[in-house]
mmCIF file of all heavy atoms in Angstrom:
data_model
loop_
_atom_site.group_PDB
_atom_site.id
_atom_site.type_symbol
_atom_site.label_atom_id
_atom_site.label_comp_id
_atom_site.label_asym_id
_atom_site.label_seq_id
_atom_site.Cartn_x
_atom_site.Cartn_y
_atom_site.Cartn_z
ATOM 1 N N THR A 269 -16.685 13.653 2.581
ATOM 2 C CA THR A 269 -16.734 13.982 4.005
ATOM 3 C C THR A 269 -17.829 13.188 4.699
ATOM 4 O O THR A 269 -17.595 12.561 5.746
ATOM 5 C CB THR A 269 -17.041 15.494 4.159
ATOM 6 O OG1 THR A 269 -16.278 16.217 3.191
ATOM 7 C CG2 THR A 269 -16.728 15.980 5.545
ATOM 8 N N GLN A 270 -19.014 13.236 4.121
ATOM 9 C CA GLN A 270 -20.155 12.558 4.747
ATOM 10 C C GLN A 270 -20.002 11.047 4.745
ATOM 11 O O GLN A 270 -20.342 10.385 5.712
ATOM 12 C CB GLN A 270 -21.459 12.973 4.054
ATOM 13 C CG GLN A 270 -21.910 14.352 4.514
ATOM 14 C CD GLN A 270 -23.092 14.864 3.726
ATOM 15 O OE1 GLN A 270 -23.004 15.051 2.518
ATOM 16 N NE2 GLN A 270 -24.201 15.086 4.396
ATOM 17 N N ASN A 271 -19.464 10.517 3.637
ATOM 18 C CA ASN A 271 -19.227 9.074 3.603
ATOM 19 C C ASN A 271 -18.231 8.628 4.665
ATOM 20 O O ASN A 271 -18.271 7.490 5.111
ATOM 21 C CB ASN A 271 -18.727 8.634 2.217
ATOM 22 C CG ASN A 271 -19.850 8.647 1.200
ATOM 23 O OD1 ASN A 271 -21.033 8.645 1.567
ATOM 24 N ND2 ASN A 271 -19.507 8.689 -0.071
ATOM 25 N N ALA A 272 -17.340 9.542 5.039
ATOM 26 C CA ALA A 272 -16.365 9.213 6.082
ATOM 27 C C ALA A 272 -17.002 9.309 7.465
ATOM 28 O O ALA A 272 -16.350 9.054 8.477
ATOM 29 C CB ALA A 272 -15.157 10.143 5.979
ATOM 30 N N GLY A 273 -18.257 9.702 7.508
ATOM 31 C CA GLY A 273 -18.953 9.773 8.789
ATOM 32 C C GLY A 273 -18.784 11.116 9.487
ATOM 33 O O GLY A 273 -19.107 11.254 10.663
ATOM 34 N N ILE A 274 -18.244 12.110 8.769
ATOM 35 C CA ILE A 274 -18.072 13.435 9.360
ATOM 36 C C ILE A 274 -19.335 14.253 9.099
ATOM 37 O O ILE A 274 -19.742 14.410 7.951
ATOM 38 C CB ILE A 274 -16.833 14.139 8.773
ATOM 39 C CG1 ILE A 274 -15.582 13.317 9.092
ATOM 40 C CG2 ILE A 274 -16.718 15.572 9.289
ATOM 41 C CD1 ILE A 274 -14.336 13.786 8.381
ATOM 42 N N ALA A 275 -19.927 14.760 10.175
ATOM 43 C CA ALA A 275 -21.198 15.482 10.025
ATOM 44 C C ALA A 275 -20.967 16.819 9.331
ATOM 45 O O ALA A 275 -19.898 17.427 9.450
ATOM 46 C CB ALA A 275 -21.821 15.706 11.390
ATOM 47 N N VAL A 276 -21.968 17.241 8.606
ATOM 48 C CA VAL A 276 -21.890 18.509 7.895
ATOM 49 C C VAL A 276 -22.767 19.534 8.617
ATOM 50 O O VAL A 276 -23.897 19.250 8.994
ATOM 51 C CB VAL A 276 -22.319 18.299 6.426
ATOM 52 C CG1 VAL A 276 -22.741 19.592 5.788
ATOM 53 C CG2 VAL A 276 -21.176 17.663 5.642
ATOM 54 N N ASP A 277 -22.195 20.714 8.854
ATOM 55 C CA ASP A 277 -22.890 21.803 9.540
ATOM 56 C C ASP A 277 -23.952 22.375 8.591
ATOM 57 O O ASP A 277 -23.631 22.770 7.465
ATOM 58 C CB ASP A 277 -21.844 22.882 9.894
ATOM 59 C CG ASP A 277 -22.431 23.990 10.751
ATOM 60 O OD1 ASP A 277 -23.662 24.192 10.712
ATOM 61 O OD2 ASP A 277 -21.656 24.655 11.454
ATOM 62 N N THR A 278 -25.203 22.393 9.031
ATOM 63 C CA THR A 278 -26.263 22.835 8.119
ATOM 64 C C THR A 278 -26.129 24.315 7.760
ATOM 65 O O THR A 278 -26.655 24.759 6.753
ATOM 66 C CB THR A 278 -27.660 22.612 8.737
ATOM 67 O OG1 THR A 278 -27.661 23.176 10.043
ATOM 68 C CG2 THR A 278 -27.997 21.139 8.813
ATOM 69 N N ARG A 279 -25.417 25.086 8.577
ATOM 70 C CA ARG A 279 -25.275 26.516 8.265
ATOM 71 C C ARG A 279 -24.298 26.736 7.118
ATOM 72 O O ARG A 279 -24.515 27.544 6.231
ATOM 73 C CB ARG A 279 -24.805 27.284 9.502
ATOM 74 C CG ARG A 279 -25.845 27.330 10.600
ATOM 75 C CD ARG A 279 -25.232 27.766 11.908
ATOM 76 N NE ARG A 279 -24.243 26.772 12.362
ATOM 77 C CZ ARG A 279 -23.604 26.848 13.522
ATOM 78 N NH1 ARG A 279 -23.803 27.863 14.333
ATOM 79 N NH2 ARG A 279 -22.759 25.914 13.869
ATOM 80 N N THR A 280 -23.162 26.017 7.153
ATOM 81 C CA THR A 280 -22.134 26.224 6.128
ATOM 82 C C THR A 280 -22.238 25.194 5.006
ATOM 83 O O THR A 280 -21.659 25.376 3.945
ATOM 84 C CB THR A 280 -20.731 26.073 6.739
ATOM 85 O OG1 THR A 280 -20.677 24.797 7.401
ATOM 86 C CG2 THR A 280 -20.432 27.165 7.731
ATOM 87 N N SER A 281 -22.924 24.094 5.254
ATOM 88 C CA SER A 281 -22.914 22.921 4.367
ATOM 89 C C SER A 281 -21.527 22.298 4.252
ATOM 90 O O SER A 281 -21.256 21.543 3.328
ATOM 91 C CB SER A 281 -23.446 23.232 2.962
ATOM 92 O OG SER A 281 -24.760 23.698 3.038
ATOM 93 N N GLY A 282 -20.661 22.634 5.193
ATOM 94 C CA GLY A 282 -19.328 22.027 5.233
ATOM 95 C C GLY A 282 -19.103 21.380 6.586
ATOM 96 O O GLY A 282 -19.938 21.509 7.489
ATOM 97 N N PRO A 283 -17.982 20.672 6.741
ATOM 98 C CA PRO A 283 -17.710 20.068 8.047
ATOM 99 C C PRO A 283 -17.421 21.139 9.093
ATOM 100 O O PRO A 283 -16.950 22.225 8.759
ATOM 101 C CB PRO A 283 -16.461 19.220 7.778
ATOM 102 C CG PRO A 283 -15.812 19.859 6.595
ATOM 103 C CD PRO A 283 -16.912 20.421 5.760
ATOM 104 N N LYS A 284 -17.729 20.848 10.341
ATOM 105 C CA LYS A 284 -17.337 21.756 11.426
ATOM 106 C C LYS A 284 -15.821 21.674 11.580
ATOM 107 O O LYS A 284 -15.263 20.583 11.538
ATOM 108 C CB LYS A 284 -17.999 21.317 12.734
ATOM 109 C CG LYS A 284 -19.453 21.655 12.795
ATOM 110 C CD LYS A 284 -20.034 21.298 14.149
ATOM 111 C CE LYS A 284 -21.518 21.591 14.109
ATOM 112 N NZ LYS A 284 -22.251 20.959 15.201
ATOM 113 N N VAL A 285 -15.195 22.825 11.749
ATOM 114 C CA VAL A 285 -13.736 22.822 11.858
ATOM 115 C C VAL A 285 -13.268 23.654 13.041
ATOM 116 O O VAL A 285 -13.986 24.529 13.542
ATOM 117 C CB VAL A 285 -13.066 23.371 10.573
ATOM 118 C CG1 VAL A 285 -13.255 22.430 9.407
ATOM 119 C CG2 VAL A 285 -13.602 24.760 10.240
#
Side-chain angles (χ1 to χ4, degrees):
Chain A
T269 318
Q270 282 173 298
N271 286 342
I274 299 171
V276 159
D277 187 336
T278 51
R279 292 165 296 184
T280 54
S281 300
K284 285 184 183 164
V285 291

